[in-house]
């Protein structure tokens, strides 16, 4: 299926749509065929709108035939995480009940997206209120990691359905959010590319919040090059100025920092090996690799384990807006909310000050290199069955988010791209972190890395049949 039109690079889809050698209807038909083939098995969507997308694609084709151009993403099949308010769609935020009507009015990001007339395939599953890194959801069911056709493995979270929608071909681009790794973890576990923007780069209005301090929108796609294309299209619209061309620099001009400690501890078999092999290939290609530790990584992780500020800020949101929903929360989410009840106000302020200090130190350290490299997720995606014993979910959740959360606590932008398979054949991602505000530069560097290592189709091969 890799030769299908929906898996073409976004730049090529864009060019073919305008030259008339590809139709938006053709792309959308492929997405709906893939949904018919894999939809029930993969369970990526809470609200699939294939028929509506087909109608939209027909209109798009007519406009293109008459020379209209609404933007770079015109005619591209897109999925959206069910935290984003989208006009005409219900928002559940992974919960059992529909949120009030105010969460059905599009915010700035969705407005910028829809203005370009993509084919919106539907809304994808999320962990309830985005509070979890494995992708589980007892209300709606957990999407299935498509790389294991025999056992139900986690897809990563909280953007649980987003990565699945891209890897299985029901969308060419997916929108997610990232507070502690909720884009990078599912992108890594599903073997696609994922990008977390710097906090504040893009607005979060009309995105159901987890943490007002740490939430950042993000993107999923088959390639880093696709991420760069989509980022440029949305960033230009959101910021009111054209995003500079994200041109990949020569590897010989790049300096990468690789930490010795923390980020490699406890890797599942094959994870460290795949990432180290990728780093070695970059060195052979001319990149300079230096040993560089990220400041206070263990301290940041301990703060994350204690709930950071996300648990307090979500508890504040729920208690002031939806107190009646707390009793019916996913038990894994509820336990972390309840733990905040005994926290004094001064502790929340102290944690905010600690994060601000980590931001400052992280910015200084990251200025020494073009990007930091390490495994995105150290653990093989667990099976749902393995999470049933007492304490198993909490342990697996922390392992999944262990490396990505540090990027959020240091204020970085972050990228993950697939670099191989682990010992049991599940995807391995390499995380790239750069300083705050370096979003376009990191994507340019990621394009250079991908061009040297190969994209997911070259590295991972075909998905197993369902």
């Amino acid at each position: 299926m890799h030769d299908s039109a929906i898996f073409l690079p976004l730049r090529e889809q864009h060019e073919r749509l305008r030259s008339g050698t590809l139709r938006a209807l053709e792309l959308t038909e492929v997405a709906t065929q893939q949904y018919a083939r894999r939809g029930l098995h993969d369970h990526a969507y809470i609200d699939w709108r294939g028929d509506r997308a087909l109608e939209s694609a027909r209109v798009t084709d007519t406009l293109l035939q008459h020379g209209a151009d609404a933007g770079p993403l015109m005619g591209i099949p897109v999925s959206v995480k069910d935290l984003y308010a989208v006009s005409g769609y219900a928002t559940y935020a992974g919960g059992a009940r529909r949120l009030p009507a105010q969460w059905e009015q599009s915010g700035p990001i969705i407005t910028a997206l829809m203005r370009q007339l993509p084919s919106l395939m539907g809304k994808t599953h999320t962990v309830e209120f985005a509070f979890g890194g494995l992708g589980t959801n007892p209300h709606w069911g957990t999407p299935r990691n498509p790389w294991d056709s025999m056992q139900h493995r986690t897809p990563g979270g909280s953007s649980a359905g987003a990565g699945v929608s891209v890897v299985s071909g029901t969308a060419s681009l997916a929108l997610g959010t990232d507070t502690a790794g909720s884009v990078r973890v599912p992108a890594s576990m599903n073997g696609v590319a994922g990008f977390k923007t710097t906090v504040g780069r893009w607005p979060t209005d009309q995105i159901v919040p987890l943490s007002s301090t740490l939430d950042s929108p993000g993107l999923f796609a088959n390639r880093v090059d696709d991420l760069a294309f989509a980022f440029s299209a949305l960033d230009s619209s959101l910021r009111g100025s054209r995003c500079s061309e994200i041109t990949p620099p020569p590897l010989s001009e790049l300096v990468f920092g690789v930490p010795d400690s923390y980020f490699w501890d406890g890797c599942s078999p094959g994870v460290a090996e795949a990432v180290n092999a990728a780093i070695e290939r970059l060195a052979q290609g001319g990149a300079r690799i230096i040993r560089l530790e990220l400041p206070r990584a263990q301290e940041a992780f301990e703060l994350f384990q204690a709930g950071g500020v996300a648990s307090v800020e979500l508890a504040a949101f729920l208690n002031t807006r939806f107190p009646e929903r707390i009793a019916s929360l996913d038990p894994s989410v509820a336990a972390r909310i309840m733990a905040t009840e005994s926290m004094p106000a001064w502790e929340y302020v102290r944690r905010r000050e600690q994060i601000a200090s980590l931001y400052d130190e992280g910015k200084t350290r990251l200025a020494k290199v073009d990007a930091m490299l390490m495994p995105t997720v150290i653990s093989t995606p667990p099976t749902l069955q393995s999470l049933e014993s007492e304490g198993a979910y909490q342990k697996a959740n922390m392992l999944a988010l262990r490396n990505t959360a540090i990027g959020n606590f240091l204020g970085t932008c972050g990228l993950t791209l697939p670099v191989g398979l682990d010992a049991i054949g599940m995807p391995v991602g390499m995380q790239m972190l750069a300083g705050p505000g370096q979003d376009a530069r990191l994507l340019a560097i990621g394009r250079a890395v991908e061009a040297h290592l190969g994209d997911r189709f070259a590295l991972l091969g075909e998905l197993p049949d369902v």
Side-chain angles (χ1 to χ4, degrees):
M1 283 299 295
H2 288 172
D3 57 353
S4 171
I6 201 165
F7 293 120
L8 289 171
L10 292 188
R11 295 177 197 277
E12 188 170 346
Q13 290 185 30
H14 171 267
E15 291 167 2
R16 289 194 185 188
L17 285 167
R18 280 145 188 81
S19 69
T21 58
L22 178 65
R23 293 177 301 135
L25 182 61
E26 180 185 347
L27 280 171
T28 308
E29 284 175 341
V30 173
T32 57
Q33 290 163 7
Q34 283 295 96
Y35 184 79
R37 177 172 170 258
R38 303 196 60 103
L40 290 177
H41 180 270
D42 294 344
H43 191 52
Y45 291 84
I46 188 173
D47 190 351
W48 168 257
R49 299 283 185 96
D51 290 343
R52 182 172 172 176
L54 288 168
E55 293 176 6
S56 174
R58 291 186 182 95
V59 174
T60 297
D61 282 329
T62 300
L63 292 171
L64 285 166
Q65 287 165 11
H66 287 83
D69 193 336
L73 299 178
M74 188 176 185
I76 304 295
V78 178
S79 71
V80 174
K81 181 180 183 179
D82 184 39
L83 286 188
Y84 288 82
V86 180
S87 297
Y89 285 76
T91 299
Y92 289 86
R97 287 181 287 168
R98 184 173 183 166
L99 297 189
Q102 74 174 86
W103 294 105
E104 297 173 18
Q105 300 299 316
S106 298
I109 292 179
I110 296 301
T111 299
L113 171 71
M114 297 308 295
R115 189 183 294 127
Q116 298 188 37
L117 302 183
S119 297
L120 182 56
M121 306 311 302
K123 297 185 80 173
T124 54
H125 285 292
T126 176
V127 175
E128 188 169 18
F129 289 105
F131 210 13
L134 297 177
T136 57
N137 189 305
H139 305 302
W140 297 97
T142 300
R144 188 166 188 149
N145 192 311
W147 289 95
D148 191 334
S149 60
M150 302 301 293
Q151 300 186 85
H152 191 158
R153 292 188 181 272
T154 59
S158 64
S159 306
V164 177
S165 73
V166 171
V167 75
S168 61
T170 57
S172 296
L173 176 71
L175 270 63
T177 61
D178 193 308
T179 305
S182 289
V183 166
R184 290 160 291 154
V185 171
S188 177
M189 286 189 175
N190 285 285
V192 298
F195 181 66
K196 166 208 164 329
T197 55
T198 302
V199 169
R201 175 86 184 206
W202 288 355
T204 55
D205 310 60
Q206 291 301 98
I207 303 173
V208 180
L210 168 54
S211 168
S212 57
T213 300
L214 300 173
D215 288 349
S216 57
L219 301 170
F220 296 75
N222 284 301
R223 304 166 185 81
V224 178
D225 184 62
D226 296 340
L227 294 175
F229 180 85
F231 173 84
S232 180
L234 290 170
D235 195 68
S236 297
S237 178
L238 289 164
R239 291 161 63 86
S241 60
R242 183 174 176 79
C243 180
S244 58
E245 178 64 23
I246 304 174
T247 305
L251 279 181
S252 59
E253 295 180 2
L254 298 176
V255 179
F256 294 118
V258 177
D260 282 323
S261 60
Y262 179 83
F263 295 94
W264 306 88
D265 298 343
C267 285
S268 295
V271 172
E273 291 84 348
V275 177
N276 274 320
I279 293 172
E280 178 59 29
R281 286 186 61 194
L282 294 176
Q284 293 170 357
R288 182 183 171 205
I289 309 296
I290 67 170
R291 297 297 161 182
L292 183 69
E293 302 302 327
L294 279 174
R296 299 158 60 188
Q298 186 61 46
E299 176 190 338
F301 185 59
E302 289 170 0
L303 175 60
F304 173 67
Q305 287 180 302
V309 295
S311 57
V312 184
E313 290 170 348
L314 178 58
F317 174 73
L318 292 175
N319 277 288
T320 56
R321 303 289 289 277
F322 306 116
E324 74 284 356
R325 298 179 185 238
I326 293 176
S328 61
L329 287 172
D330 173 352
S332 298
V333 175
R336 298 169 76 184
I337 296 298
M338 298 303 179
T340 67
E341 293 184 354
S342 60
M343 183 187 298
W346 62 262
E347 173 61 14
Y348 171 71
V349 174
R350 185 194 70 80
R351 293 183 184 188
R352 283 291 303 268
E353 291 174 345
Q354 187 177 2
I355 289 173
S357 174
L358 288 165
Y359 271 29
D360 290 341
E361 289 193 37
K363 184 176 181 179
T364 299
R365 187 64 57 91
L366 286 161
K368 300 177 184 293
V369 294
D370 291 291
M372 296 289 292
L373 307 179
M374 70 277 291
T376 308
V377 179
I378 64 173
S379 53
T380 295
T383 64
L384 292 194
Q385 185 178 11
S386 72
L387 302 176
E388 294 174 358
S389 60
E390 185 175 355
Y393 173 88
Q394 290 78 5
K395 180 179 179 181
N397 186 57
M398 285 297 162
L399 283 176
L401 296 165
R402 176 183 169 87
N403 282 5
T404 54
I406 303 305
N408 300 82
F409 279 69
L410 296 180
T412 73
C413 50
L415 173 67
T416 181
L417 69 162
V419 292
L421 299 170
D422 68 13
I424 67 165
M426 298 301 291
V428 175
M430 181 171 72
Q431 181 173 222
M432 304 175 64
L433 299 178
Q438 298 299 306
D439 302 65
R441 171 67 175 168
L442 180 59
L443 286 166
I445 294 167
R447 287 186 68 194
V449 169
E450 181 177 71
H452 186 72
L453 297 179
D455 63 21
R456 82 165 178 94
F457 302 105
L459 293 168
L460 307 184
E462 295 277 357
L463 286 177
D465 290 332
V466 296

